Amino acid sequence: MSTIVRATTRGLLLKRITIIVLLGCAATVLAGLASAATSGGFTQKGIVTRIVDGDTLDVRLDSGKSDRVRLIGIDAAERGACFSSQATERARQLALSKPVVLRGDRTQDTRDRYGRLLAYVWLPGGRDLGYQLVAGGFAKVYVYSSPFQRLPAYQTAESGAKSSAAGRWKACGTIRPVVPAPPPAGKCHPSYSPCLPVVGDLDCADVRALGADPVRVLGSDPYRLDGDGDGYGCD
């Protein structure tokens, strides 16, 4: 084989190896991006434009897009429930019109079933909004399906709020709601899914005790569960 032929063969072989390596790297990067998209690994910046309630807010991202954000790891009272207005107002004081950093959690999904972005919201000065609300007694720790990364810190904050009877832990007491019996088949209120009983009134504490939260509001909302008007109640 001539020197020219050997050189040409080696060149083609090197090109093939290079292409294979590049394709492998690209596949790895794409897989990583896909994993981050589904597992909550992200960081974004924006300005808080609206406080929906004590655990949900709207943010205008630096990209220009607006997104609804559900705080990871906390649950504030729904509108009309004990301490709901105070939780909403405190979130407003802390975050409204402020520049924030949104950070996802790789142990959680990127979005919930309603399409809301799941994130920790970091305020100017490095304060975690969710942690601040829990520590002040404006919200409680909430684990949806699996423990989140900041759970130990949040639990410590909640223990402190309970010990000092801060916020909801004093105002709302420890009285458990009277839970309506689960409705028999065919006795479901037509305005809600999943099934809720037809009674005089229900609040979100009742709905959660029934294990029916969150609920989709299909028509009118006689129980007033959809406080933010997004079509879902007790979320």
Side-chain angles (χ1 to χ4, degrees):
M1 182 180 295
S2 68
T3 301
I4 295 176
V5 172
R6 286 197 298 272
T8 301
T9 302
R10 284 198 299 272
L12 290 173
L13 181 60
L14 287 173
K15 286 182 179 179
R16 289 175 181 172
I17 293 173
T18 301
I19 291 171
I20 292 171
V21 170
L22 290 174
L23 288 174
C25 290
T28 300
V29 170
L30 290 173
L33 290 174
S35 176
T38 57
S39 66
F42 64 86
T43 299
Q44 299 189 61
K45 296 181 179 181
I47 301 289
V48 177
T49 57
R50 181 191 174 202
I51 302 298
V52 178
D53 56 30
D55 54 38
T56 307
L57 56 154
D58 292 340
V59 177
R60 185 177 67 251
L61 304 175
D62 285 354
S63 64
K65 174 187 175 184
S66 291
D67 218 334
R68 179 153 293 185
V69 179
R70 175 64 164 83
L71 298 178
I72 291 174
I74 77 167
D75 183 40
E78 299 293 331
R79 186 176 300 179
C82 180
F83 226 66
S84 62
S85 60
Q86 292 92 332
T88 301
E89 180 58 28
R90 183 54 177 160
R92 185 176 291 115
Q93 293 171 353
L94 290 169
L96 186 61
S97 302
K98 302 286 181 62
V100 294
V101 177
L102 308 178
R103 289 199 175 97
D105 186 325
R106 291 186 182 278
T107 68
Q108 308 296 306
D109 291 332
T110 299
R111 294 185 182 274
D112 66 10
R113 70 184 77 180
Y114 311 117
R116 298 176 299 186
L117 191 67
L118 298 174
Y120 303 109
V121 175
W122 291 91
L123 302 165
R127 295 181 299 165
D128 174 359
L129 175 59
Y131 179 93
Q132 297 295 320
L133 292 169
V134 171
F138 295 94
K140 62 182 179 180
V141 175
Y142 177 65
V143 177
Y144 175 61
S145 59
S146 61
F148 52 95
Q149 289 178 337
R150 289 182 54 73
L151 178 58
Y154 278 36
Q155 288 175 326
T156 299
E158 185 179 72
S159 294
K162 287 181 176 179
S163 297
S164 60
R168 62 181 292 150
W169 303 112
K170 179 179 181 180
C172 304
T174 58
I175 299 174
R176 299 185 63 85
V178 177
V179 181
K187 298 296 183 180
C188 300
H189 200 294
S191 291
Y192 302 101
S193 177
C195 181
L196 293 182
V198 179
V199 293
D201 193 23
L202 282 179
D203 61 22
C204 285
D206 299 325
V207 173
R208 291 193 177 100
L210 286 168
D213 62 309
V215 295
R216 185 176 181 185
V217 180
L218 304 176
S220 62
D221 185 17
Y223 296 155
R224 303 179 302 282
L225 302 178
D226 183 14
D228 56 14
D230 65 354
Y232 293 90
C234 306
D235 55 343

